[in-house]
Amino acid sequence: MGCGPEADAPGPHCRASPPRLDRAPHQGGGWHAFTTDPLNHPLGWSVRYHPEHGRTVLLMRDQDTSDLHSQWSGDQALFRAGGHWWDDTTWYRPGQVWDPVAQDHERRKSRAAVTVSAADMLDRRADPARASVSKVTAFDPEAPAPENWPDHLVLWARHHQKQETALPLDKCVVDVASPELTGARLLGIPDMAELGGITASTLRAYISRGNSEVPQPQATVGGRDQWARAVADDWVDARQRSYHGVQATMSAGNRDNLSPGGAEVRDHFADDFHSLLWDRPDVRKRWILRARNEGSVREVADALAWDVAVSLDRILPTNILGPAIRVAVLNDFADAIDLNGKTGVHPDDKQDDDGWWHLYLLSPVAKMLDWFIRHHPESARHYIGEITHEAHTRWQIPAETTLRTLRQAVALDGKLSEEDRKAFFALLTPPAKTD
């Protein structure tokens, strides 16, 4: 990092101070910055300074500089070989498998990886006279990379060593070497696709569409992308853990590719519909040709729909949904109380002037509560009663305040009409106290 052939390139734009700096506290004084080139606007400069490894300067398409904001905000110090990255001590393969606990991709080490420095790459046969320093105004990002890269490295090394604070060339990290990246361990598109259980044409379609789940190739040989077998294995692992991968695993062996729960619902209603359509003589007679008309079909359709509507508890049982909503609502109340102080009220007083407690529901919780009220109002009434009781027992929140919070949350995120909402919550309002 900081000393690779792309770093410290001579020229006024590299030396200019970036217009804005983003600090990197985890690097002990490091920073990174991004700016559009003032003369060639389609291009942008990305600059990062590391207190130990020096400065990295990248010239790239301006639209691509934003991707480095997230990449450089972590401890990735250098990227090479199609996403392999170095954290100052260890090389890791491209992050593909998501870790839900760490909320980041798993760090999988590149086996037997060796850090390659600029000193390791210098070739005595290289001639700096065959290289040149280009101007950004004439730079063509579509032009192929120079074939005489060793010549350019020698020229860069000469410019680099003239700087007073230049790091030694053996401290300038430029590449990674690993058995995983050797030619014998590289796979082309056909082998990569077979490993992932898809066709080569499907994989090509993914790549052409810029599918972010397909890792970058580790090399391009003869114009064809090549992936390390270890990276391909990680890709297969990530596919199996993805949304579609879990769906495929849980529906394996099912004739309609349904989840186990979906298959149970299908089987239940298949039996119900068969009984309705065949076992009942008053419905079965409608199969007679002269009885087949729109009105008759509508009556049968209504009967089937009614059967589904009264079977909602078979699809999502209220004795499971109710307690889950109760816990979710109380959890949101607890978060609101933690946010506003241990009392759960206005931090300057026990209550605001109008007696308002600072409570809220997250949008998904409010939508689920609204669904529960619309589909199972009698059960919803019971569990909302438990919520008001628990809120009063734990935090001394008045029932009126709890109901007002729930009513407003449903009004903001739900589908209940205003009339139905008022009617439902009116049934929950505690009776007025009498002397």
Side-chain angles (χ1 to χ4, degrees):
M1 172 190 172
C3 299
E6 76 273 30
D8 293 339
H13 303 300
C14 292
R15 294 194 298 266
S17 298
R20 180 178 62 84
L21 301 180
D22 293 324
R23 300 293 177 183
H26 64 282
Q27 294 180 355
W31 53 262
H32 48 267
F34 310 88
T35 186
T36 301
D37 186 84
L39 300 179
N40 194 343
H41 294 170
L43 300 179
W45 294 95
S46 299
V47 184
R48 178 167 63 175
Y49 172 75
H50 190 283
E52 180 179 352
H53 299 291
R55 183 178 60 177
T56 298
V57 181
L58 300 178
L59 178 63
M60 55 200 307
R61 291 183 179 85
D62 191 53
Q63 63 186 22
D64 295 334
T65 58
S66 59
D67 293 341
L68 291 180
H69 279 274
S70 58
Q71 293 178 357
W72 281 359
S73 62
D75 53 2
Q76 293 89 341
L78 185 69
F79 291 92
R80 284 293 184 269
H84 283 69
W85 59 278
W86 181 63
D87 70 347
D88 187 25
T89 56
T90 305
W91 284 95
Y92 298 90
R93 298 197 295 273
Q96 298 186 79
V97 180
W98 186 254
D99 182 348
V101 177
Q103 285 295 291
D104 198 357
H105 290 101
E106 289 184 9
R107 297 188 172 195
R108 299 189 171 185
K109 295 181 181 179
S110 179
R111 291 186 289 270
V114 176
T115 300
V116 180
S117 70
D120 298 326
M121 296 292 291
L122 289 177
D123 188 343
R124 293 183 180 180
R125 297 169 296 178
D127 184 1
R130 294 196 294 262
S132 62
V133 176
S134 302
K135 293 184 178 181
V136 68
T137 53
F139 180 76
D140 180 9
E142 302 298 334
E147 296 182 358
N148 59 330
W149 189 82
D151 299 332
H152 288 268
L153 179 63
V154 171
L155 180 60
W156 167 84
R158 289 189 177 182
H159 284 288
H160 171 76
Q161 291 175 314
K162 292 178 181 178
Q163 300 182 44
E164 294 182 0
T165 58
L167 293 174
L169 295 179
D170 61 356
K171 298 294 184 182
C172 297
V173 179
V174 296
D175 209 349
V176 57
S178 169
E180 296 178 356
L181 302 174
T182 59
R185 299 292 293 170
L186 295 180
L187 305 176
I189 284 182
D191 292 333
M192 176 87 162
E194 182 180 1
L195 200 63
I198 59 177
T199 65
S201 60
T202 299
L203 179 56
R204 290 190 180 94
Y206 287 168
I207 296 172
S208 65
R209 293 197 301 263
N211 189 316
S212 60
E213 295 180 358
V214 180
Q216 300 177 51
Q218 276 59 69
T220 301
V221 181
R224 298 186 178 186
D225 292 338
Q226 302 278 300
W227 288 266
R229 174 58 188 260
V231 173
D233 288 339
D234 289 347
W235 174 63
V236 172
D237 193 2
R239 280 176 55 83
Q240 293 173 341
R241 297 168 187 254
S242 68
Y243 175 89
H244 295 292
V246 172
Q247 185 182 51
T249 298
M250 295 303 293
S251 64
N254 185 279
R255 67 177 186 271
D256 295 323
N257 293 320
L258 294 172
S259 63
E264 291 176 6
V265 171
R266 176 203 60 199
D267 294 342
H268 166 71
F269 285 109
D271 291 340
D272 277 7
F273 293 166
H274 180 271
S275 176
L276 174 65
L277 298 173
W278 190 256
D279 295 341
R280 285 177 48 179
D282 61 320
V283 177
R284 185 175 179 180
K285 68 182 181 180
R286 299 181 185 277
W287 300 120
I288 301 173
L289 184 60
R290 58 185 171 82
R292 296 180 193 173
N293 53 65
E294 184 177 356
S296 179
V297 172
R298 169 56 64 184
E299 290 180 10
V300 174
D302 288 344
L304 295 175
W306 179 88
D307 192 50
V308 173
V310 298
S311 301
L312 286 176
D313 199 53
R314 294 288 300 270
I315 300 173
L316 184 57
T318 56
N319 65 333
I320 296 175
L321 177 62
I325 291 179
R326 171 183 170 275
V327 170
V329 170
L330 293 173
N331 183 71
D332 281 356
F333 280 10
D335 287 344
I337 289 170
D338 289 342
L339 182 65
N340 294 291
K342 292 183 179 179
T343 60
V345 299
H346 194 279
D348 298 329
D349 199 355
K350 290 297 181 184
Q351 291 179 327
D352 289 343
D353 293 339
D354 61 355
W356 180 256
W357 289 53
H358 295 274
L359 303 174
Y360 59 80
L361 292 187
L362 296 178
S363 179
V365 177
K367 290 179 179 179
M368 195 70 246
L369 177 62
D370 172 80
W371 189 96
F372 197 22
I373 295 171
R374 286 187 291 113
H375 291 81
H376 302 287
E378 67 291 337
S379 295
R381 178 184 181 278
H382 169 75
Y383 286 104
I384 290 176
E386 288 194 355
I387 290 171
T388 57
H389 172 74
E390 183 74 12
H392 183 267
T393 302
R394 292 173 62 178
W395 302 296
Q396 293 74 54
I397 299 175
E400 295 85 352
T401 300
T402 296
L403 294 175
R404 179 171 52 197
T405 301
L406 302 183
R407 185 174 65 249
Q408 290 191 340
V410 169
L412 289 172
D413 294 307
K415 296 180 179 180
L416 268 175
S417 68
E418 182 178 359
E419 181 181 357
D420 288 343
R421 188 170 59 251
K422 288 182 178 180
F424 176 77
F425 279 96
L427 298 174
L428 295 171
T429 303
K433 295 182 179 180
T434 59
D435 295 334

